[in-house]
Amino acid sequence: MIEYQKIWANTRYEIITLLRGWFFRIFAGLIIIIFLSINIMFFSGALPFVPRLFAGFSAAIPYANMIMLNISQTAIIIFMASDFFKRDRKYNTAEVFYIRSMSNSSYLIGKALGIFILFAALNIIVLAIALTIHLVFSETSFNWVPYILYPLLIGFPAFVFMIGLSFLLMHLIKNQAIVVLLLLGYYAVVLFYLYDKWYYLFDFIALKLPFAYSDFIGLANIKLLLLQRGLYFSLGMVCILVSILLFKRLTQSAILERLTIIGIIFFTVIGMYCVPNYLQFFTDRQLLRSRMAILNKQYIHQPDITPLSCKIDFYHLGESYRATSHYVFQNLSEAPQDHYLFSINPGLRVDKILRDGKSLKFEQENHIISINSDRLLLPGFMDSIQIHYYGEIDEAACYLDIEDFEQQNTFSFWLYQSARKHAFIEDDYVLLPPESLWYPRPGLPPGANFPDRTNRYFIPFQLDVHTNSDLTPLSQGTRTIESPGHYRFLSDYPLSDISLILGKYEKESIQVDSVEYNFYHLSKHDYYKEYFSQIGDTLTDLIREVSQDYEVRLSLEYPFKRLSLIEVPLQYYVYPKIWTVAQEVVLPEQIWFQENAATIAGADFGRIKRSMDRRLDRSNQTLTEVETQISVLKTFLNSTFCGKVMRGLRVGGPSSNYQPDYNIFPNYYTYVTFLKGEEWPILNTALEAFLSDRVHETEESGPIWRARGLTAAEEVSQALSSKSLAEYLTTMENKLILPEMIKQKGAFIIKILQNELGPEVFNAYFSRMVDQSKFSQIDFNTFFGGMPLRQNFNIDSYLHSWYNERVLPAYQIFDVQFYKVYDGDRIRTQVKFKTFNTDSTDGLMEVSFQYSSRGVGFGMGAAYQEIIPTIYRLNGHQSKQFGLLLDEEPRALDINFLLARNLPLVYTKRFEKAELDKNKTPFEGEKVITGIDEITPSYEIVMDNTDDGFEIFNPPFNSILKQWIHNEEEDTAAVIYDRIQWWNPPHQWRLIKSTTFYGTYVHSAYYIRPGNGSKYVSWIAPIETAGIYDVYAYVFNKEDFRRRRRDRQGISFGDYTYLVHHDGGVEEVKLSVDAAQYGWNFLGSWYLSAGEAKVRLTDESTARFVIADAVKWVKN
Amino acid sequence: MKIQIQNLSKIYNGSKPALDNINMEINSGLFGLLGPNGAGKTTLMRILVTLMKPSEGSVTIDNFDLQRHRKEIRQMLGYLPQEFSTFPKIKTWEFLDYSARLAGIKSNSQRSQLVDKYLEQVDLFAARDRLASKLSGGMKRRLGIAQALISDPKILVVDEPTTGLDPEERIRFRNLLTEMGQEEKIIILSTHIVGDISSTCNEMALLVDGRVGFKGSPAELIKQAEGYVFEIEARDNDLANIQEKYAVISTIPSESGWKVQVVAKNTGQYLSQSIDPNLEHAYVHFIEHHYDTDIKPDVMDLDFKDD
């Protein structure tokens, strides 16, 4: 019945026909050349700047190749599948084959198989190229499974689907051109629009499906992937079988015809099974999360019991587990309790709860366990229970506050898509972080009460693990082996959380002073060894140096006995949390990183070494191999775990939406202590954020040519200008900037304290408190009660306004002076400036200086900032003059207004060389001054771009194409600051900010690419008194736009064209910006009647860009 | 072997029937099918080779019904269509090999031998490695014959098989068909070249307007034309009048003018002599008799591709 010979005959000659056609030959040739080039460029290490992730995990090479091949060959399959029908109609000799004894299915399947074999061969060639590059050149570990799995799961279903669809449409439409157009159109719609709709259901080419393969666990969510791919395979088969039925040749086998119909029904049923089951996975999760959120709200006011100790007995049962948690706890609330509340992962079922062997009644709904204690637990009294549970982990229960959880099932980097997994429980691998609620916890899940209640308890843990003896268990505390397969972990100190990992790890270990440093990884993931082969002896000193440097910056000591760096599956994903800076890649005593450090730029040791060698070459320096290795390792440790920004490194790689924070900070504070304040629950979070920031360098500061739209701190300040922190936390709106807001607020309150006590005193006090309260909570009153503050310093009132106030201060800076002065018999550098707080709200400023490694002035070597800035306070409506005496000559002054309405938030003033002024006396400190609130004389009318009389005219583009190309946004009510790109200015007026522009506290301007004068801005001011007025225009400091020393001579700022309206008409004034001075520049004098005065600036200019800032009229 | 055709009709999309109630029996041997354009010859042959379904009627081949036993019937078939000139990108020997594979010849060696044998037989061995699309018209025709024969069919249907062949090739092909006709096979030959039928076929049918106008041996058809075929000695100025008045078979120049062979009841005032008719005369006689010269045949526009 199945005519294999006939099928093969048709297949064979289809292959021969296609191979002899120019179309396939050109396509195949191009594919081979292109993929050879791509593989050599990106995966062989030939290019010096390829991101780490390209070699980061073993499936990276076949995955990228398969996706790219799938995208390109799908279009070609459309042509070729529709072509065979056209050929049959064209070749009049086809009929001599039609009269042969063969079924229609033999004919069509033979043809389809011919096309398939050809493409399969091409796929094999491409993968063979990839495999060769992988084995010979790449340092990535090799795994053969992805090379088999990807063609089967990614390519094959897409192929069958597209072949079937092409066949069917050709039968129905009979016109190849129309069919090709339709299918290419469909393909384009899927590729660019539909691919991520309905949880990637329409993504038949698997562009966005999470196919990243881990050497730990293989593919994550394999069932889900099989459903989606199965759907397209089934659809393809249905189309092929229907095509067989519709084929214009008389059938010869009734049985085969019936079988074809049965096949159609069968694959249709499979397809219909796949769709709802695939979607149900996501809808079920959504329902679960919604239910959990409702339950959390329902129980939010239930008082907590305070745990005192926890013992867990864990039995690993393959893809599930059974466990018992024995809690001792106390009632520290003011009321007796007869119900205890616990949270657990909803995938786990509690089957009994015992007290002293006797069962207690309980109810479990989702993640909430409500236990009915048969007696009252009075305040201060203790109790203990045993909770028995079993099951699996439902990851939908994790990260309840994340809204896009269901929208994004994958995280992507370049072409790679990986599932987002938050826990693993498999036969040979287990990973259970605290977020997964793998053991019951008293009260609601962490963060559920935020911001009303946040808490962290520190209790001793004992964990007994029963598993296969070939799996290495990893958890917190000291491990002992009780018997084969039975391990015990006893926490050395009270902890807030514990985690559990079971896997087949290799261990490297080193003791540095009192801390044991461990490194756990898969046995073949040891690419790093070749880069550090010669520094085994110096490793101790290196680690000591890095950790001590970190501790000095933080002013805290590492409190644990060990620190383990543990490799975890690629698919492990964490979200940042609002209530803590700790992400679940840093746990007590542990740091978890994705396999082969695929997403850690600093782990690309080869690239770092090459980059280092190039820099040394350029400066004619050399290092020994040992010195190089030390340097590379230090770069890695500092950039990855210690928050240092290393030039040229970008964490996470291109287009990555995954940038976990591996900073070890939580092991110094978050998992060590907790500042508990009933009235100010947010305080610990704010404090933590501020401390963490101490050991996080950023690239926020920089000269104007690197300036962004708004910095994070500026976004926070702008947001806080309209609502208080309390309001944001209540509504939880603007979640994107909430963490930054909490951090800035935390920084603010700390700086108030630092200003009050002095930074060194405060830092020392804080470190002492943390040390004394290690592994316990710090009571709010104890913390502030012990601080040597002034008697009348009311911290509560500060905290109240800090939490509830809406208004922010706004500062003006005047009269910045910079010169050398005699201080005794020494010559020192004097910096003085005046500040006026225009608002009623008190504020703080932080003053620091930028120094150059090679002398004064920008372009003179790398900049560095002094470590401890000086903090000044300015009360509402207060003016002060500040004076600072410096031993070194700075190149710039930075005044950070912290939280204010100023834009930019950091005022920067650059200095040229300071001259010695023998007549001046040194002044250091601050003094209150008066009389500078009247900054604008009454005879001057100043109109800035932020004032009401300022107008912009951007004519619309005269074609839709131009509109689309330039992607201009429509005017909205929101004020949007652009990133300054003076080398590529915009085609329409855009708002930018910099200290160099005019402003009281908002220093902004508009800029545009020069044009024909059709675009302009206008300043229109009311004139009360007629008379002759001098008109001025404000010009920026040209030095702020010079990037390199050679720019000083080369760059031209051209002319600006102003149109001044006056009683006699309109006069055009050309202002040479090159010749203009920084500040107000005279345009001319004109008679103006009472009414309106107008000055217009057009885009007509010879400059690279035109800046519209401010104008003023001064009455003569 | 026997083909029984009963009440066979074929109507395309509501137009005049292409085949109208055909009843016929075809036995082993060479069977010729003759008829003017649009008579229904190609339609009949496409039905017989299972490329098309009839609208009515039935065809039975040795107790196999054409509708229900297509598989068995296709195993017996060899077919050379009238249009046979466009090829996919395969070589001459590959084309034969493909046909042989589809014909069910599984053994590689057997197939190879057969391919070589038939290439020799149609004098294409030297061009075996040439792409089939690059063959000349006559060579393509020969390749068509070879692929029709390679499966050793019991029923061979050939449509205009000698078109494009030179006289020597034509004679060779006729001899080949005659040899095959000795075996227990049915060979249906549809052609406009009357000489192909006269020199090879024992039986023939004449289709006109979708109906069987004549069925019998060529000799019987010829006999019908006896007494109706004349040779006129004509002068130059008579020629045009003769051509208008009579069905002219041939016009050969002679010493006195022209010797014109015509089919007619009589030649009127023209001096003529009665001659023995051949099959061509008989065919023209039959057509003239059928249409009665004043009535022009309908031109039927047939599309064989849509069923």
Side-chain angles (χ1 to χ4, degrees), chain A residues 589-621:
Chain A
E589 303 180 0
Q590 296 179 353
I591 299 177
W592 299 354
F593 66 96
Q594 288 169 310
E595 57 191 273
N596 262 328
T599 55
I600 301 178
D604 195 348
F605 304 126
R607 182 165 74 92
I608 293 172
K609 184 171 185 303
R610 286 191 295 272
S611 171
M612 209 173 277
D613 289 341
R614 277 197 303 275
R615 273 205 306 277
L616 290 170
D617 276 343
R618 278 200 296 269
S619 53
N620 287 324
Q621 291 177 302

Side-chain angles (χ1 to χ4, degrees), chain A residues 956-969:
Chain A
F957 287 103
N958 52 15
S959 80
I960 295 172
L961 182 61
K962 272 193 186 169
Q963 178 93 30
W964 181 76
I965 288 170
H966 293 298
N967 197 26
E968 300 291 349
E969 293 168 9

Side-chain angles (χ1 to χ4, degrees), chain A residues 1 3 5-6 8-14 16-17 20-22 87 89-102 104 107 111 248-253, chain B residues 46 49-53 70-71 74-75 77-79 81 83-91 93-95 97-99 101-104 106 131 147-148 150-151 307:
Chain A
M1 197 166 62
E3 307 160 314
Q5 302 270 359
K6 306 280 171 71
W8 174 243
N10 289 308
T11 299
R12 184 170 190 269
Y13 283 99
E14 183 68 14
I16 290 174
T17 305
R20 288 184 184 154
W22 63 267
R87 272 186 275 123
R89 285 152 71 92
K90 180 177 132 192
Y91 299 141
N92 55 22
T93 46
E95 285 189 337
V96 304
F97 300 131
Y98 284 2
I99 63 106
R100 296 297 177 189
S101 176
M102 66 176 168
N104 289 352
Y107 189 66
K111 295 285 184 182
K248 289 279 183 214
R249 174 181 176 265
L250 299 178
T251 58
Q252 70 177 41
S253 170
Chain B
R46 287 172 65 83
V49 297
T50 72
L51 284 177
M52 193 188 285
K53 269 201 290 199
R70 278 196 203 108
K71 180 179 175 180
R74 279 172 174 164
Q75 284 168 351
L77 286 175
Y79 175 53
E83 300 293 331
F84 188 84
S85 56
T86 57
F87 289 80
K89 282 186 170 50
I90 53 180
K91 297 178 182 175
W93 75 265
E94 287 172 339
F95 192 89
D97 179 75
Y98 190 9
S99 302
R101 285 173 187 263
L102 293 180
K106 294 181 185 174
L131 284 179
Q147 66 78 31
I150 198 165
S151 58
D307 192 1

Side-chain angles (χ1 to χ4, degrees), chain A residues 32-285:
Chain A
I32 290 171
I33 293 169
I34 289 170
F35 276 78
L36 189 60
S37 311
I38 287 174
N39 278 283
I40 290 173
M41 273 201 305
F42 290 106
F43 302 121
S44 70
L47 286 183
F49 43 81
V50 166
R52 163 89 194 120
L53 59 90
F54 284 18
F57 59 106
S58 63
I61 295 173
Y63 191 4
N65 276 276
M66 204 58 235
I67 289 291
M68 289 188 289
L69 191 56
N70 214 23
I71 291 172
S72 49
Q73 71 186 5
T74 297
I76 304 302
I77 287 169
I78 291 172
F79 278 102
M80 297 181 75
S82 55
D83 192 55
F84 116 72
F85 282 96
K86 182 183 148 202
R87 272 186 275 123
D88 266 19
R89 285 152 71 92
K90 180 177 132 192
Y91 299 141
N92 55 22
T93 46
E95 285 189 337
V96 304
F97 300 131
Y98 284 2
I99 63 106
R100 296 297 177 189
S101 176
M102 66 176 168
S103 62
N104 289 352
S105 48
S106 299
Y107 189 66
L108 278 177
I109 288 173
K111 295 285 184 182
L113 203 55
I115 302 172
F116 171 71
I117 289 175
L118 221 48
F119 278 92
L122 191 58
N123 277 234
I124 288 170
I125 291 172
V126 166
L127 286 175
I129 292 171
L131 184 67
T132 308
I133 300 288
H134 193 162
L135 288 173
V136 175
F137 296 105
S138 173
E139 64 184 14
T140 316
S141 55
F142 176 74
N143 192 330
W144 61 269
V145 173
Y147 282 91
I148 308 292
L149 215 55
Y150 285 149
L152 281 177
L153 287 181
I154 295 177
F156 183 62
F159 173 85
V160 172
F161 175 63
M162 206 27 80
I163 280 266
L165 204 54
S166 304
F167 277 13
L168 184 60
L169 286 181
M170 274 304 288
H171 268 113
L172 297 174
I173 297 176
K174 296 180 178 47
N175 183 310
Q176 190 194 21
I178 295 175
V179 167
V180 166
L181 264 174
L182 276 176
L183 288 176
L184 286 180
Y186 166 65
Y187 181 38
V189 166
V190 168
L191 203 56
F192 297 111
Y193 177 69
L194 278 180
Y195 67 91
D196 63 349
K197 301 289 179 283
W198 284 45
Y199 314 111
Y200 310 102
L201 184 66
F202 297 102
D203 183 12
F204 74 89
I205 34 175
L207 183 64
K208 290 291 183 182
L209 291 179
F211 266 105
Y213 185 91
S214 162
D215 287 339
F216 283 90
I217 57 134
L219 290 174
N221 295 339
I222 181 84
K223 186 185 164 199
L224 211 58
L225 293 172
L226 286 175
L227 284 171
Q228 206 268 10
R229 304 318 283 153
L231 167 66
Y232 283 100
F233 174 74
S234 303
L235 279 177
M237 287 306 297
V238 166
C239 290
I240 290 173
L241 292 173
V242 170
S243 304
I244 290 172
L245 273 188
L246 295 179
F247 190 46
K248 289 279 183 214
R249 174 181 176 265
L250 299 178
T251 58
Q252 70 177 41
S253 170
I255 296 174
L256 276 179
E257 207 173 343
R258 270 182 239 126
L259 275 178
T260 304
I261 294 170
I262 292 171
I264 291 170
I265 295 170
F266 173 73
F267 284 109
T268 305
V269 166
I270 293 194
M272 286 168 63
Y273 169 82
C274 290
V275 171
N277 278 277
Y278 179 82
L279 293 175
Q280 195 177 4
F281 173 82
F282 299 96
T283 50
D284 280 355
R285 279 153 57 109

Side-chain angles (χ1 to χ4, degrees), chain A residues 699-763:
Chain A
E699 289 181 284
E700 293 267 353
S701 61
I704 191 169
W705 51 270
R706 272 197 303 175
R708 284 185 264 245
L710 286 184
T711 63
E714 285 165 351
E715 295 266 10
V716 166
S717 289
Q718 295 296 297
L720 285 171
S721 301
S722 54
K723 278 190 182 161
S724 67
L725 176 63
E727 283 169 306
Y728 279 112
L729 288 174
T730 306
T731 59
M732 292 299 254
E733 66 178 270
N734 223 336
K735 270 193 187 165
L736 277 177
I737 64 162
L738 254 186
E740 183 68 25
M741 191 182 286
I742 294 171
K743 184 179 88 180
Q744 295 293 336
K745 279 294 210 179
F748 193 82
I749 201 70
I750 296 300
K751 286 177 199 304
I752 287 179
L753 295 170
Q754 284 179 333
N755 176 257
E756 193 62 29
L757 297 175
E760 288 86 4
V761 171
F762 173 80
N763 292 346

Side-chain angles (χ1 to χ4, degrees), chain A residues 333-453:
Chain A
S333 69
E334 290 170 358
Q337 295 193 44
D338 60 355
H339 269 81
Y340 306 143
L341 188 72
F342 279 79
S343 299
I344 194 171
N345 188 285
L348 297 166
R349 303 312 303 167
V350 176
D351 50 8
K352 61 184 174 194
I353 298 179
L354 303 174
R355 179 202 282 132
D356 299 326
K358 195 169 146 224
S359 285
L360 294 178
K361 286 204 183 87
F362 69 93
E363 272 175 19
Q364 181 182 2
E365 189 183 356
N366 263 322
H367 65 300
I368 297 290
I369 311 168
S370 179
I371 304 168
N372 189 356
S373 170
D374 55 8
R375 55 182 190 236
L376 274 182
L377 185 64
L378 297 173
F381 280 71
M382 297 197 300
D383 198 355
S384 83
I385 57 174
Q386 266 187 356
I387 304 176
H388 296 252
Y389 49 100
Y390 67 94
E392 309 164 352
I393 295 294
D394 190 334
E395 294 168 64
C398 304
Y399 301 104
L400 275 190
D401 60 315
I402 300 299
E403 278 164 11
D404 77 337
F405 190 89
E406 292 313 318
Q407 302 310 312
Q408 304 287 339
N409 187 41
T410 74
F411 70 90
S412 62
F413 35 105
W414 196 50
L415 283 178
Y416 306 116
Q417 314 299 321
S418 175
R420 297 186 182 187
K421 298 277 294 172
H422 311 297
F424 299 83
I425 180 100
E426 317 255 337
D427 286 330
D428 53 2
Y429 192 78
V430 170
L431 183 143
L432 298 170
E435 179 67 24
S436 65
L437 291 176
W438 65 279
Y439 59 89
R441 307 171 60 101
L444 291 176
N449 293 337
F450 183 81
D452 298 326
R453 273 192 287 171

